[in-house]
Amino acid sequence: MKIRQYLRVPFPCPVECAGDGLFAKGSVTHISMGGWTIESGHPVRVGTTLTLHIALPDEEKPLEIKQAVVRWARDGKFGLETILIEDEEEKRLQRFIVTYVNTPTRKAHR
């Protein structure tokens, strides 16, 4: 069994994806420092580069991922690998994941 490099947190939150002529709204189903799983009714192709704006709870400004590449797509979901994220956004994401994982009712996956 392959062990994931990053903790993967199941967390539904709204997301907007844009790139390669696509603008789609959907819902993040899993968050990690290295990637995302998104559920959306919009078809995407493997290899497509997207910009993400994620509406994290209790945050005024959406989290921005400058570049993420679609690594898989099936059944209305797709997985993205984070390629480019600004330092401040990376710190925000890390704080969110640590806070979420340390909430007693939450579970993260490896």
Side-chain angles (χ1 to χ4, degrees):
M1 180 163 96
K2 183 180 176 184
I3 296 177
R4 295 179 185 275
Q5 182 177 356
Y6 300 102
L7 277 176
R8 192 171 62 137
V9 178
F11 186 80
C13 60
V15 62
E16 293 180 349
C17 308
D20 198 25
L22 170 77
F23 178 81
K25 291 184 178 187
S27 180
V28 171
T29 60
H30 287 89
I31 295 174
S32 80
M33 290 302 295
W36 311 81
T37 302
I38 294 176
E39 193 170 274
S40 175
H42 299 276
V44 296
R45 287 178 286 132
V46 172
T48 301
T49 300
L50 299 172
T51 298
L52 307 177
H53 290 95
I54 301 105
L56 296 176
D58 302 325
E59 299 261 345
E60 288 182 31
K61 181 178 128 187
L63 179 74
E64 181 179 15
I65 307 300
K66 293 276 188 189
Q67 289 183 342
V69 175
V70 178
R71 295 300 184 200
W72 60 267
R74 66 180 168 277
D75 301 327
K77 293 183 181 179
F78 55 96
L80 295 152
E81 177 185 1
T82 300
I83 302 300
L84 179 62
I85 181 172
E86 298 289 333
D87 289 341
E88 192 56 40
E89 297 296 271
E90 186 173 35
K91 289 174 188 171
R92 285 179 63 204
L93 176 58
Q94 191 169 26
R95 280 191 305 266
F96 174 78
I97 290 173
V98 167
T99 300
Y100 187 85
V101 168
N102 287 324
T103 302
T105 59
R106 310 292 186 203
K107 293 184 181 176
H109 306 286
R110 276 245 181 233

